[in-house]
């Protein structure tokens, strides 16, 4: 971003879709616009724009769905990279490729046109929600839940500035952050994106991140070098859905809801936030993307927001009466930019037609375009001194990605966010101690970083190996460094085994990474017993233990708390796990305090006060607090519940389910990762995320001739298979289902289902005699189909197989 809010100028006015028939083009101004461009001058610019150019300013596609040629033709006002998107189709591309792509799209957006229309530069938005987290080698700061535990606005402000600098290195203009959700039900899969259950703490820290990213309004460096456009999201109520269901319903008295969930927004607005993102959820049954009383009357009228409102990923398509490609209701409700990742062309066409037929008044279009241009003006994207992305302040300075200063800041943030819940004196680790470090998460930076890390859903080290984190330290790295420096020895044994008896064992374990709805839970039980088994084993051997729990929320951990001598809530620390070690070894005291109530029971009912809390909001021990913790009840009826029958849904494999691909000749066998995606396997089977009801909640599976794809349960739950599917292409050869020693030819059924939309198949012993824990699709010819859910269930007697 440039330093000053430069003027609009004749050199940066209209661009156009010259090839689009019927383009409405206004006369072109020849005089320059003064350097202190006023609202009147922005209005004059808008008045000179064609309808097509205006609508293009309101369209935001994702980089994987359009080309530079499309940008030159249509002149989108902005674009984004999704959580799994990267330049030129490579989500792990070097930072220089991101900058090259930014230049390419900028150049296309301002390229002169033969008919004399002039150009408005585009801008690029990204989800850098805990550092510039899409970029290999960037600093990954702790997620917001950890920063809430640190509770320091100045720390968050410094993190915002460091993040903005790293974003500018890659030429990106706009960050979709901070999340200022007030999470009130920890079953919600986005709890870790919230600073706290307390709206005042959220307001304080959210405003600080805005200031860190944008600078202080009125200051010389506001949106200058090392600053980017910030976004407060998601307006509003995203953290208050019933039962913590992502994108669900928020119900109650509207004044009380605004007081609770709307409270962070005035603080963000006072801090100068230039963008607000609409939320997926409903308020009392009405989707926020179509909620004019809230998007316009409250946000703009009552709160005084004058920036732009951007939608979330196809969120407009969830409004009653809308589709992704046809939704005037959102614009009329107060949305200014449609985030329409893939279906941008059809949406543009429908909006243009709706303006022409009077469904959408031109005055509303002009209002939305004005808001977009106002933000661009403030960000220095308009005017005679506007620069290409690669020519801006920190652009191309790749040494600033995870610079020593930024890494030190991240390490400080990690250490200050650690919350000690129990300690009988085993912490800090004694100088000279023989320390065993156990657990698969101990040396896994991907797991420590959680979702929104290089990929939308993040991933463990089998999916995101260490080489994806070249500028980082794991928790194990930090422990080894600190223990050795203090004269002790440290040994890593992920499976917990040892030859020489240790003085103490540090067990690192926790939730696997997830994002959004993929992290929703029906209760707060932590079912992965890797850590529990290790802790109990060491207790039986008389070895003191420290439990280091990685999670995106408080959970029912009574069993682990009982088994451990010390228990540390480490949240999702990111790329500087050494900050965890700084507290464990006493280099820093434990100063983190809970910004969420910790539940006493496992069932998952919301706990937002001392009532029902094992540890209340604000709890946390210093290392010197070794007071005993009473034995906790380990009774939990929910532990008996079994999720393993739900094999795939919401874009994730279920508990105990694996997916695999291979060739029918026995080669190319490969297990897929937890989010069941991949396009580089030896079988040639391509699995891509597909949006059915929500972002990447389904998979599109393209199978070459002679390949197979399947799923398998670690334990057989029994029952028939029920699969939601859609056949995209007619198979060019036989398609079979196989389970155990039996097979079923479904070629005719796939041929019939092709292009018929979503259907459901039920596969039982009635048609596949040996139905068991493993089911595979075998393709003798090429075929592409989609799957949104796979589950097993007992059928009522008499129900037949169906397709």
């Amino acid at each position: 971003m440039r330093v000053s809010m430069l003027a609009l100028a004749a050199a940066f006015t209209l661009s156009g879709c010259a090839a689009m028939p019927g383009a409405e083009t206004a006369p072109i101004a020849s005089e320059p616009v003064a350097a202190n461009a006023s609202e009147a001058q922005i209005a004059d610019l808008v008045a000179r724009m064609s309808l097509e150019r205006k609508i293009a300013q309101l369209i935001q596609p994702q980089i994987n769905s359009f080309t530079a040629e499309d940008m030159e033709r249509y002149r989108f006002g902005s674009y984004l990279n999704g959580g799994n998107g990267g330049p030129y189709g490579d989500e792990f591309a070097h930072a220089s490729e991101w900058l090259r792509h930014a230049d390419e799209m900028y150049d296309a957006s301002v390229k002169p046109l033969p008919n004399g229309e002039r150009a408005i530069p585009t801008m690029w938005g990204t989800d850098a929600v805990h550092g510039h987290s899409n970029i290999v080698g960037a600093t990954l700061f702790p997620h917001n839940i950890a920063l809430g535990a640190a509770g320091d606005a100045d720390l968050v402000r410094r993190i915002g500035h460091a993040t903005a600098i790293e974003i500018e290195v890659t030429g990106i203009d706009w960050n979709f952050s901070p999340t200022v959700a007030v999470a009130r039900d920890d079953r919600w899969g986005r709890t870790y994106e919230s600073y706290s259950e307390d709206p005042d703490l959220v307001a304080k820290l959210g405003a600080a991140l805005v200031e860190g990213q944008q600078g202080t309004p009125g200051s010389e460096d506001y949106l200058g070098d090392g600053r980017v456009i910030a976004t407060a999201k998601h307006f509003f109520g995203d953290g208050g859905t019933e039962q913590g269901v992502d994108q669900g319903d928020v119900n109650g008295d509207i004044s009380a809801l605004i007081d609770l969930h709307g409270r962070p927004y005035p603080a963000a607005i006072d801090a100068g936030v230039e963008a607000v993102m609409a939320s997926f959820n409903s308020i009392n049954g009405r989707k926020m993307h179509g909620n004019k009383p809230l998007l316009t009357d409250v946000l703009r009228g009552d709160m005084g927001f004058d920036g732009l409102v951007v939608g979330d990923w196809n969120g407009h398509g969830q409004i009653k009466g809308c589709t992704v490609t046809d939704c005037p209701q959102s614009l009329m409700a107060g949305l200014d930019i449609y985030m329409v990742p893939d279906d941008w062309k059809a949406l543009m066409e429908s909006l243009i037609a709706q303006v022409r037929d009077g469904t959408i008044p031109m005055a509303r279009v002009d209002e939305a375009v004005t808001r977009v241009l106002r933000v661009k003006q403030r960000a220095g994207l308009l005017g005679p001194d506007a620069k290409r992305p690669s020519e801006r302040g920190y652009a191309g300075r790749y040494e600033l990605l995870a610079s020593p200063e930024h890494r030190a800041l991240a390490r400080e943030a990690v250490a200050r966010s650690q919350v000690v819940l129990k300690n009988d004196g085993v912490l800090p680790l004694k100088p000279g101690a023989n320390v065993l470090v156990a657990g698969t998460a101990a040396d896994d930076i991907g797991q420590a970083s959680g979702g929104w890390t290089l990929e939308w859903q993040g991933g463990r080290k089998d999916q995101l190996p260490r080489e994806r984190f070249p500028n980082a330290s794991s928790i194990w790295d930090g422990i080894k460094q600190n223990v050795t420096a203090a004269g002790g020895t440290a040994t890593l044994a992920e499976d917990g085994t040892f030859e020489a008896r240790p003085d103490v064992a540090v067990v690192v374990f926790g939730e696997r990474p997830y994002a959004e709805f993929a992290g929703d839970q029906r209760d707060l039980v932590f079912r992965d017993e890797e850590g529990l088994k290790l802790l109990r084993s060491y207790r039986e051997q008389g070895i003191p233990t420290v439990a280091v729990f990685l999670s995106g929320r408080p959970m029912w951990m009574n069993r682990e708390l009982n088994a451990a001598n010390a228990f540390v809530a480490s949240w999702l620390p990111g790329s500087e796990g050494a900050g965890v070690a700084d507290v464990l070894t006493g280099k820093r005291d434990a100063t983190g305090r809970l910004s969420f109530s910790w539940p006493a029971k496992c069932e998952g009912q919301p706990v937002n006060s001392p009532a029902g809390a094992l540890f209340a909001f604000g709890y946390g021990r210093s290392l010197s607090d070794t007071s005993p913790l009473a034995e906790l009840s380990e009774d939990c009826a929910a532990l008996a519940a079994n999720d393993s029958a739900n094999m795939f849904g919401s874009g994730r494999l279920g508990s105990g389910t694996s997916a695999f691909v291979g060739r029918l000749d026995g080669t190319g066998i490969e297990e897929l990762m937890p989010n069941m995606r991949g396009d580089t396997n030896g079988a040639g089977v391509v699995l891509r995320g597909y949006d059915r009801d929500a972002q990447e909640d389904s998979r599109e599976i393209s199978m070459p001739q002679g390949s197979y794809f399947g799923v398998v349960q670690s334990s057989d739950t029994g029952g028939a298979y029920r699969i939601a599917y859609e056949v995209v292409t007619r198979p060019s050869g036989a398609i079979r289902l196989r389970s155990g020693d039996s097979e079923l030819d479904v070629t005719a059924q796939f041929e019939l289902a092709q292009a018929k939309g979503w259907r459901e198949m039920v596969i039982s012993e009635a048609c596949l005699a040996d139905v068991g824990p493993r089911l595979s699709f075998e393709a003798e010819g090429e075929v592409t189909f989609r799957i949104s859910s796979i589950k097993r269930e007992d059928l009522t007697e008499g129900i037949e197989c169906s397709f």
Side-chain angles (χ1 to χ4, degrees), residues 547-616:
V548 175
F549 181 49
L550 302 173
S551 75
R553 56 189 139 207
M555 303 189 77
W556 183 79
M557 303 298 294
N558 287 18
R559 299 180 298 169
E560 290 84 356
L561 280 159
N562 283 339
N565 296 87
F567 188 102
V568 182
S570 288
W571 314 115
L572 299 171
S575 61
E576 291 302 326
V580 177
D582 289 345
V583 172
L584 299 183
T585 57
K587 289 186 69 174
R588 281 183 174 268
D589 196 6
T591 58
R593 300 295 181 261
L594 292 178
S595 60
F596 287 86
S597 305
W598 195 280
K601 296 184 178 180
C602 68
E603 288 76 15
Q605 285 80 5
V607 179
N608 296 296
S609 70
L614 177 62
F615 304 110

Side-chain angles (χ1 to χ4, degrees), residues 305-364:
F305 178 62
D306 73 345
L308 67 84
V309 174
V310 62
D312 207 342
W313 189 281
N314 283 334
H316 58 280
Q318 297 185 11
I319 299 170
K320 185 177 181 181
C322 282
T323 66
V324 170
T325 59
D326 183 359
C327 192
Q329 293 95 315
S330 271
L331 189 62
M332 296 306 296
L335 199 75
D336 300 314
I337 294 177
Y338 291 82
M339 186 184 290
V340 55
D342 302 312
D343 298 293
W344 48 268
K345 187 175 182 180
L347 180 62
M348 285 184 70
E349 291 171 349
S350 69
L351 288 170
I352 290 168
Q354 287 154 358
V355 176
R356 287 179 172 152
D357 70 17
T359 302
I360 300 173
M362 182 65 82
R364 173 65 193 112

Side-chain angles (χ1 to χ4, degrees), residues 49 54 57 81-82 132 139 188 236 283 288 295 324 350 356 396 399 423 516 527 542 587 637 735 740 787 794 800:
M49 296 176 70
K54 291 176 181 179
Q57 289 296 309
N81 60 282
H132 198 9
T139 311
W188 185 37
F236 87 105
I283 301 289
M288 277 303 307
L295 277 185
V324 170
S350 69
R356 287 179 172 152
E399 74 277 6
N423 181 23
E516 300 192 36
R527 290 180 168 80
K587 289 186 69 174
I735 306 296
I787 288 177
D794 293 327
E800 300 178 348

Side-chain angles (χ1 to χ4, degrees), residues 429-433 480-488 585:
L429 300 176
K430 303 299 185 290
K480 181 181 180 182
Q481 179 187 54
N482 289 2
V483 168
T484 303
T585 57

Side-chain angles (χ1 to χ4, degrees), residues 669-692:
I669 300 172
E670 188 170 328
E671 183 176 345
L672 301 176
M673 304 308 174
N675 59 8
M676 206 167 84
R677 294 175 64 246
D679 55 9
T680 58
N681 54 76
V685 179
V686 177
L687 294 95
R688 294 193 176 96
Y690 178 79
D691 301 356
R692 182 185 181 187

Side-chain angles (χ1 to χ4, degrees), residues 444 446-447 459-466 513 671-674:
D444 190 334
Q447 182 165 355
R460 289 175 169 170
K461 59 188 173 185
D462 53 356
Q463 182 177 357
L464 296 175
R466 184 61 183 260
E671 183 176 345
L672 301 176
M673 304 308 174

Side-chain angles (χ1 to χ4, degrees), residues 506-773:
V506 178
V507 181
V508 187
F509 63 102
E511 290 189 286
R512 72 182 188 184
Y514 55 80
E516 300 192 36
F517 51 80
D520 286 356
Q521 292 204 173
R522 70 182 187 281
D523 53 41
L524 289 176
V525 175
F526 181 65
R527 290 180 168 80
D528 186 336
E529 296 190 347
E530 176 204 15
L532 178 63
K533 290 176 180 177
L534 288 170
L535 291 168
R536 286 177 170 172
S537 172
Y538 294 134
R539 183 177 61 179
E540 291 170 0
Q541 299 173 71
I543 299 171
T545 56
V546 179
V548 175
F549 181 49
L550 302 173
S551 75
R553 56 189 139 207
M555 303 189 77
W556 183 79
M557 303 298 294
N558 287 18
R559 299 180 298 169
E560 290 84 356
L561 280 159
N562 283 339
N565 296 87
F567 188 102
V568 182
S570 288
W571 314 115
L572 299 171
S575 61
E576 291 302 326
V580 177
D582 289 345
V583 172
L584 299 183
T585 57
K587 289 186 69 174
R588 281 183 174 268
D589 196 6
T591 58
R593 300 295 181 261
L594 292 178
S595 60
F596 287 86
S597 305
W598 195 280
K601 296 184 178 180
C602 68
E603 288 76 15
Q605 285 80 5
V607 179
N608 296 296
S609 70
L614 177 62
F615 304 110
F617 173 91
Y619 180 84
R621 296 174 180 235
S622 67
L623 292 178
S624 61
D625 182 353
T626 58
S627 57
L629 178 68
E631 190 78 6
L632 303 173
S633 170
E634 298 186 5
D635 294 336
C636 174
L639 273 172
N642 188 357
D643 267 346
S644 59
N646 296 311
M647 299 177 68
F648 177 77
S650 296
R652 299 280 288 187
L653 290 169
S655 174
T657 298
S658 300
F660 55 88
V661 294
R663 303 286 303 168
L664 295 180
D665 62 8
T667 63
I669 300 172
E670 188 170 328
E671 183 176 345
L672 301 176
M673 304 308 174
N675 59 8
M676 206 167 84
R677 294 175 64 246
D679 55 9
T680 58
N681 54 76
V685 179
V686 177
L687 294 95
R688 294 193 176 96
Y690 178 79
D691 301 356
R692 182 185 181 187
D693 297 317
Q695 182 181 354
E696 296 196 10
D697 62 344
S698 306
R699 292 293 176 266
E700 182 171 280
I701 305 167
S702 297
M703 301 180 65
Q705 179 180 352
S707 65
Y708 64 83
F709 154 78
V711 290
V712 60
Q713 296 175 305
S714 58
S715 59
D716 190 352
T717 62
Y721 283 87
R722 187 181 295 272
I723 302 173
Y725 75 107
E726 179 182 34
V727 179
V728 180
T729 64
R730 186 181 180 89
S732 64
I735 306 296
R736 295 185 299 272
L737 290 177
R738 181 177 300 279
S739 188
D741 295 325
S742 57
E743 66 178 51
L744 175 66
D745 191 311
V746 294
T747 311
Q749 290 86 343
F750 265 52
E751 290 174 345
L752 181 64
Q754 191 262 329
K756 298 291 198 321
W758 285 94
R759 303 162 73 91
E760 185 175 78
M761 70 172 73
V762 176
I763 307 297
S764 69
E765 293 177 350
C767 58
L768 194 62
D770 198 19
V771 166

